[in-house]
Amino acid sequence: MGKVTGFLEIEREEPRYEPASDRIRHFGEFTIPMTEGRIVDQAARCMDCGIPFCHGDTGCPVNNQIPDWNDLVYAGNWEEAAINLHSTNNFPEFTGRICPAPCEEACTLNLEDVPVTIKTIEQAIADRAIRSGWIKPQIAAEKTGKSVAIIGSGPAGLAAAQQLARAGHDVHLYEREPKAGGLLRYGIPDFKMEKEHIDFRVGQMEAEGVTFHYGVNVGVTTPLADLQARHDAVLLCGGSEKPRDVDAQGVDLAGVHFAMPFLVQQNRRLGGEDVSGQQQLTAAGKHVVVVGGGDTASDCVGTSFRQGAIAVSQLDVRPMPPELENKLTNWPNWAVKMRTSSSQAEGAIREFAAGTMKILGDAKGQVTGVECARVDRQRQPIPGTEFIIKADLVLLAIGFAHPIHEGLLTELGAKFDPRGNLFADTLSYKTTVPKVYAAGDIRRGQSLVVWSIREGRQAARSIDFDLMGKTNLPR
C-alpha cells in the first residue's frame, strides 16, 4: 500500500498547532492543516505490512479500511478515498478530530514509534470531501412503511438514524437538548471540534428523511410508552451520565463542581444558548484544581485556561507512566504510556500518584484548597507525603458510573448488566423489553465516539433485519 519504500524514505510528520499563548485566547480549533502534498507523503508511508492491525477491532472499532484509503490518497484519488472512508464511518470528520487513534497504536510502524499519521489523513479526506461537495444526501429509493424512534442524538443515535433512513425507514430522533449532538456538542469543547461539523451532518440527515424532535426528554416530559405505541422499534442511545461517587470530604463546598456542568455551560455559551439563569461556572481569575486524569479532565484544563484561570493543576491518582511502552508486551493494543494533551501542554501542573484526601474550605463554605497525598500502587495514601494545593475552583472529572436510571430506564423496566448499564448483546442489540434496542454508552458504559458510531451502525442493521427479515446494511 502507498509507496513501497515510503516508510523508509519519509519521516512521520504531524500537524502543527497555533502557539499555546495564541490558542488559549480563543475557543476555536487551532490545528494548522497540512498541505495536500504533505498529506500525500504521509499516506505514502503506509507499508504493505501483511496483516494490517490498524483496521481490526484492536485498531479501529468501525473497521476503517485504512490501507486502502491511504493508497487512494497516495494515488491522488481523493474522491474514491472519501467513498471508501464513508463506507465504514458515517462521520469521519468527527473521529478525525477527537478519536485518540488506537489505529496508530496498532500500526506496524509503531514498533519503531513512527506510526502512519492515520488520524490526520482521515480528517484531511473528510474535510476535503465536504469542502468539494462530494458528500450529498443518500435518499432511499423506496420507503419501507416502518417507523423507528431513536432516543438520544449523540454519535450512536446519529449513526443509527442515518443508516436506518438510508434503508428506507421513517426515522424520528428524539433529543432532550435544543440541538443535536449529545456530548459531541455539549461536552467536547469547540477547540477540539467546532460544532459546524455536527450542523452539516444534521442538514444531510434531514435531507435523507430523518425527523429531529428537540426539547423532548423521554421518560420525563414524554412517556416512553407513547413512542413504543407510535413506532415499530425504539433504539435507546442515551449517554452514561451518572458521575462516579467522590469519596472525599468537602465536595459540598461552594466552588466544587462536577466536570460536565462546567463544560456543558461553556459550550452553551459558545452556541448562543441562554445560560443567564444558571449559576455561572467560570475559571476566570482563579486557581483551578482538576481531579482526574482522563480526556474530560484535559478538556477542563483547556477550558479553564481559555476562561482566564491563573493556574491549573491536574491530579491523577495513577502513577506517572513510562515515556514509551514495551512493544513486545503491548503492541498492537492500546498502551499505557506518558501522553500529553494539547490542553496539558498549555501550562497545566500535573501531579501523578496524587490522591485527593480532603477538599478544604473557609468559614463561609467556600473552597480554598485541596489536601493531597502520594499513593501507592493500591492507591492507598503514603504517610508523610501530604501536601496542599490552593484552589478557588475544583472540578471533579473522575468518570461516570452508568446511565441515569431514574426516568426513562425506570419506565422501561429492562435488565441492567452488573455495572448498571442497560443490558443488550452486541449481535442483536436487543434489550429484555420487546422492540426496544440499545447502543452506545447507555449499553457499554462511557467510551469513545468511534465505539458509539460502531454500535449505532450495528444496532441499525439489527433493527432493519428484524423489521424486514433481511438487510443490506453493513455491520
Side-chain angles (χ1 to χ4, degrees):
M1 293 298 171
K3 186 177 182 181
V4 175
T5 56
F7 71 99
L8 296 171
E9 300 171 6
I10 302 168
E11 298 290 333
R12 173 181 164 91
E13 184 179 3
E14 299 180 65
R16 293 184 297 112
Y17 296 153
E18 293 178 13
S21 58
D22 293 339
R23 66 181 187 250
I24 63 170
R25 299 176 187 275
H26 63 82
F27 278 89
E29 294 180 15
F30 51 79
T31 301
I32 301 172
M34 295 170 66
T35 64
E36 178 180 332
R38 289 162 64 201
I39 292 291
V40 169
D41 281 348
Q42 293 305 298
R45 297 185 65 244
C46 186
M47 61 193 296
D48 189 3
C49 57
I51 302 176
F53 288 96
C54 61
H55 65 72
D57 285 355
T58 295
C60 182
V62 292
N63 304 122
N64 280 337
Q65 299 168 122
I66 294 164
D68 293 343
W69 43 256
N70 276 335
D71 189 47
L72 289 165
V73 168
Y74 171 63
N77 197 340
W78 286 78
E79 186 170 3
E80 188 63 32
I83 292 171
N84 187 302
L85 177 55
H86 281 86
S87 71
T88 57
N89 185 353
N90 296 68
F91 315 117
E93 70 277 14
F94 299 173
T95 51
R97 284 172 166 82
I98 61 177
C99 184
C103 52
E104 295 189 19
E105 293 289 315
C107 176
T108 300
L109 286 175
N110 193 39
L111 288 168
E112 298 293 331
D113 297 309
V114 287
V116 175
T117 50
I118 300 168
K119 177 179 173 179
T120 299
I121 300 167
E122 177 182 33
Q123 180 184 337
I125 296 170
D127 288 353
R128 179 162 180 168
I130 294 171
R131 188 171 61 247
S132 301
W134 300 334
I135 308 302
K136 301 186 186 324
Q138 298 178 30
I139 301 170
E142 297 180 2
K143 298 296 183 181
T144 65
K146 301 291 185 179
S147 176
V148 181
I150 298 176
I151 300 171
S153 67
L158 290 173
Q162 186 164 64
Q163 294 294 95
L164 288 165
R166 290 174 175 177
H169 302 301
D170 181 22
V171 179
H172 292 258
L173 207 161
Y174 297 87
E175 170 56 53
R176 74 180 178 199
E177 301 292 348
K179 299 177 183 177
L183 289 184
L184 283 170
R185 182 180 296 275
Y186 292 104
I188 293 173
D190 275 31
F191 57 80
K192 290 176 70 174
M193 189 182 83
E194 294 178 2
K195 305 313 181 256
E196 64 184 28
H197 307 296
I198 304 171
D199 296 336
F200 171 81
R201 290 298 182 177
V202 169
Q204 179 193 24
M205 291 169 65
E206 287 176 334
E208 292 172 342
V210 177
T211 303
F212 288 81
H213 303 268
Y214 299 114
V216 181
N217 194 347
V218 180
V220 178
T221 60
T222 299
L224 174 62
D226 288 358
L227 272 60
Q228 290 174 286
R230 293 203 304 268
H231 300 280
D232 298 294
V234 177
L235 173 61
L236 307 183
C237 293
S240 178
E241 299 178 298
K242 179 71 173 177
R244 289 198 179 106
D245 292 332
V246 180
D247 185 20
Q249 182 181 337
V251 293
D252 55 347
L253 290 167
V256 180
H257 303 277
F258 282 108
M260 289 318 302
F262 173 74
L263 295 173
V264 168
Q265 187 178 93
Q266 180 58 42
N267 280 338
R268 290 192 193 281
R269 287 192 195 101
L270 293 174
E273 296 182 30
D274 183 11
V275 297
S276 60
Q278 303 176 9
Q279 177 188 3
Q280 297 302 294
L281 308 180
T282 178
K286 297 178 180 178
H287 291 81
V288 180
V289 173
V290 179
V291 181
D295 289 339
T296 301
S298 179
D299 292 344
C300 288
V301 170
T303 299
S304 295
F305 280 129
R306 284 158 180 76
Q307 289 183 347
I310 295 174
V312 182
S313 299
Q314 183 180 354
L315 307 181
D316 193 334
V317 73
R318 298 169 297 184
M320 179 181 288
E323 287 293 329
L324 295 174
E325 74 276 28
N326 182 330
K327 303 295 184 184
L328 296 180
T329 301
N330 291 277
W331 181 84
N333 298 304
W334 184 261
V336 175
K337 63 182 178 182
M338 190 66 176
R339 303 175 194 272
T340 301
S341 71
S342 60
S343 292
Q344 291 163 338
E346 289 162 1
I349 302 167
R350 302 175 70 183
E351 298 282 356
F352 291 96
T356 302
M357 300 296 101
K358 183 190 302 183
I359 301 176
L360 308 174
D362 59 20
K364 297 179 181 179
Q366 175 65 43
V367 65
T368 58
V370 179
E371 181 179 320
C372 309
R374 299 300 173 193
V375 297
D376 58 24
R377 291 284 176 175
Q378 286 70 48
R379 300 187 178 181
Q380 297 301 307
I382 301 172
T385 63
E386 296 83 3
F387 61 100
I388 293 174
I389 301 178
K390 180 179 180 180
D392 309 302
L393 174 66
V394 176
L395 299 172
L396 306 174
I398 58 173
F400 304 91
H402 51 68
I404 294 172
H405 291 175
E406 296 76 18
L408 170 63
L409 298 185
T410 300
E411 182 186 348
L412 176 65
K415 177 183 176 182
F416 294 102
D417 70 14
R419 295 186 299 153
N421 300 314
L422 187 56
F423 174 78
D425 64 61
T426 55
L427 182 63
S428 71
Y429 288 89
K430 295 177 182 178
T431 69
T432 52
V433 174
K435 300 197 308 182
V436 179
Y437 303 74
D441 287 3
I442 198 171
R443 191 205 68 81
R444 68 179 289 119
Q446 64 175 51
S447 189
L448 303 177
V449 167
V450 67
W451 273 107
S452 290
I453 294 173
R454 170 193 173 123
E455 294 214 348
R457 287 170 61 89
Q458 292 186 339
R461 186 182 192 279
S462 176
I463 292 169
D464 186 42
F465 181 84
D466 288 347
L467 292 178
M468 306 304 296
K470 60 181 181 179
T471 182
N472 289 323
L473 293 178
R475 275 184 59 83

